[in-house]
Amino acid sequence: MQHNIKSLIGFRMEAADGDIGRVEEFYFEETSWLIRYLIIETGNWLLNRKVLIVPQAIKQCDAKAEVFRTNLTTEQIRTSPDVGTDQLVSRQQTVPLYGHYDWEWYGSGFYAGGLEAVMDNDPVIDAQDEKGDLHLRSTEEIKGYQIHTADGDFGHVSDFILDDTTWQIIYLVVDTHKWFGGTKLLIKTSAINEIQWGNAKVMVNIITETIKDCPVFDESEFNHS
């Protein structure tokens, strides 16, 4: 099923024995557009800590009830290693999480499962991680970035379309404002060449004329199918 990420912000995160908190944002890997973590605001029960949850810990997304149900316990959350989310989150920071939750390390993310595959395949930490993993970014951070084609800018990122079976962002929702009368269009992430974080731009490999043929996004009519 597909969801626009804006609609998922604020969903309750439910453990086997109670509520954990609410979804605040998502962290994705810019090279694959895969969601690696959901950032959860725990509220008063855990002194408003923010915790990271991998998508593979989620058993069900109930869009009607606006809740994610997980295979975790509140005790696991309470005793989880503290990972600061105010700055870039590096892979080095998140290494303690996989031992605590019994998640399996795979590539550049954590996956639900045991530690068998981890024991003989310790995570490789890039030197770049000392300053923060530049390939792990917040969906909140990229909102507002300009879309740049070969022949100019034409809008900015306003939302994302997520496939909850693969946990991959498959479209950017682009607000075209003055370019096409404010219509929101869907741009495939496969059409993106580069994200220029310093310039706040998303570079796409299509021309402005082709943009007009992209699907229109209307959140009020989006049926999450």
Side-chain angles (χ1 to χ4, degrees), residues 167-179:
W167 286 93
Q168 185 173 36
I169 297 172
I170 54 178
Y171 291 103
L172 299 185
V173 179
V174 177
D175 188 335
T176 64
H177 0 266
K178 60 182 180 182
W179 283 271

Side-chain angles (χ1 to χ4, degrees), residues 80-146:
S80 67
D82 192 23
V83 177
T85 59
D86 293 334
Q87 299 178 347
L88 286 178
V89 173
S90 71
R91 281 176 280 174
Q92 188 168 14
Q93 287 175 282
T94 56
V95 165
L97 290 176
Y98 76 83
H100 175 77
Y101 287 110
D102 199 24
W103 289 334
E104 180 184 341
W105 174 274
Y106 182 80
S108 54
F110 293 103
Y111 290 77
L115 287 177
E116 287 184 20
V118 179
M119 303 305 289
D120 297 324
N121 186 23
D122 291 336
V124 176
I125 305 300
D126 294 340
Q128 203 172 42
D129 282 343
E130 294 177 4
K131 297 182 180 179
D133 187 346
L134 299 181
H135 296 293
L136 194 63
R137 297 286 183 162
S138 163
T139 51
E140 192 63 28
E141 177 185 4
I142 194 176
K143 284 173 64 177
Y145 276 32
Q146 292 292 315

Side-chain angles (χ1 to χ4, degrees), residues 149-204:
T149 67
D151 53 352
D153 296 341
F154 73 90
H156 69 266
V157 179
S158 65
D159 204 349
F160 312 83
I161 304 298
L162 168 72
D163 184 333
D164 71 3
T165 58
T166 62
W167 286 93
Q168 185 173 36
I169 297 172
I170 54 178
Y171 291 103
L172 299 185
V173 179
V174 177
D175 188 335
T176 64
H177 0 266
K178 60 182 180 182
W179 283 271
F180 300 134
T183 302
K184 292 184 178 179
L185 302 175
L186 298 178
I187 305 295
K188 289 185 177 181
T189 51
S190 59
I192 295 171
N193 287 332
E194 179 188 7
I195 304 174
Q196 293 186 350
W197 300 102
N199 296 326
K201 286 190 175 185
V202 178
M203 318 298 285
V204 297

Side-chain angles (χ1 to χ4, degrees), residues 27-59:
Y27 276 15
F28 69 96
E29 192 174 62
E30 67 175 89
T31 53
S32 64
W33 291 92
L34 287 168
I35 297 294
R36 292 306 188 188
Y37 303 102
L38 290 79
I39 310 302
I40 311 303
E41 172 61 65
T42 58
N44 293 331
W45 81 274
L46 203 54
L47 300 178
N48 294 308
R49 269 185 65 194
K50 293 181 182 180
V51 297
L52 277 67
I53 303 295
V54 293
Q56 290 76 21
I58 296 173
K59 298 190 301 182

